[in-house]
Amino acid sequence: MKVKQYLTIILPDELANLPVQVVRGVGCPQLVIETGVADERLVCVEKRERKYAFIWQQNDYKKVALDEILWIEAVGSYTRIYLSGNQRLMVSFNLAVVERKLPPTDFLRIHRSYVVNLKHVSGLSGNSLKVDGNLLTIGREYRDSLLERFVFLGVRRSGVR
């Protein structure tokens, strides 16, 4: 006897009226619905998790583990990538282009100029995140989506949910 399998989607109360559409066979092995963020979106995730990036540096590509990336900063129309071990790389793409190529489960935009690797966040101080001993300012429009990615235990101050 074959057991029936079901897909269960549980939406938070505030999204109870959100229409849900399931599309099959579009070449996307896994579909993730990101809710509770400023811009709710569907993200197609490949089954094979990408753990490395090739970053163009002068005449060739440098292989970088995504876990080595601490944070990424917009510098005009360029992007500076901060890596562990005090390394920095510059690419000739703007921050939005780089952000789209990174896994949204690990990387989060916290300011119009910063994307952080959540694995390297060591603390929250006022309106800044601590990453590798550096304080990165959290933009007002990104604060709620950032705070929703963490569980807060202990003393709660106004502004922290």
Side-chain angles (χ1 to χ4, degrees), residues 117-128:
N117 185 339
L118 294 172
K119 293 177 181 178
H120 293 287
V121 172
S122 60
L124 174 67
S125 179
N127 200 36
S128 299

Side-chain angles (χ1 to χ4, degrees), residues 15 32-37 39-43 103-105 149:
L15 298 176
V32 176
I33 301 173
E34 290 187 348
T35 60
V37 293
D39 58 335
E40 293 166 4
R41 58 186 177 217
L42 296 175
V43 180
T105 53
R149 298 289 290 266

